Amino acid sequence: MSVNSIDYYNQHSKDFIASSLNVDMSALYAEFTPLLPKHALILDAGCGTGRDTKYFIEQGFNVTAIDASKELVEFATNHIAQPVIHKTFMQIDDTNIYDGIWCCASLLHVPKSELSTVFTKLATALKANGILYVSFKYGDTERVHNGREFTDLTEHGLQHIISAQPSLCISKHWITGDQRTERGHEQWLNAIIRKEP
C-alpha cells in the first residue's frame, strides 16, 4: 500500500469512519462465513473501522485484525475492544495460520506490481482449504483518486494474478454495486478464493 494512500486514511479517518462504519455488508458475509469451520481463525486484512471484525467476533469467530493506518488502528481497537495490529500487507509473515482471510476493499490500494507478492503472502498465511475473500473496484486501470491510489481489476485481471499462485483457485466471482447510497453507481468485483490442500 502506497504512503499516499496510508496518509489519506490517517488524515481523513473521521470522514472514512462516518461513511463506512454502518454499511450493510450482510450479503458479503453470507458468501464467506458459511465456508468456515466453527470458531475459525480469521485475518481481517485492512480492517479499516473494524466493522467486519466486530461482526465476525459476534458470530463466534476468532479474529486477528490488521491495518496500515495508525488512525484507523486506534479507532478499530476501541470499536472491537481488542488490539488491532498496525501492519501492511507486505509485512504479513504467517504460515498456515488462518482458516479464512477477509480483504474487503483493502487490496485495491496495493500497486498492481506488488499484488502477486501479496497474494503469495496471503496464500502462505492460509491453512490448506482456507478461504480468501477479496474485492476490487471493477475496471482495468491503476489510478489516483482524491489522494488514494487504486488498482482496479476485472475477472480476467484477477484470474491472471491468481493463476500465478499454484495453491490458490478462484471458487466464485461476482459483481455488486456499492452499498453506500451516494456511490450506488460504482461496481465491485468480489471473489472467493480457496487454498488447495
Side-chain angles (χ1 to χ4, degrees), residues 3 25 34 38 80 84 119 128 143-144 163 167-168 181 183 194:
V3 172
M25 305 298 287
K38 191 174 182 180
I80 69 173
V84 172
F119 271 109
R143 58 192 171 85
V144 178
S163 65
S167 66
L168 296 182
T181 54
R183 298 189 185 180
R194 185 181 297 274

Side-chain angles (χ1 to χ4, degrees), residues 13-27:
S13 59
K14 290 182 180 178
D15 290 339
F16 176 74
I17 291 163
S19 69
S20 62
L21 183 60
N22 296 311
V23 176
D24 181 7
M25 305 298 287
S26 56

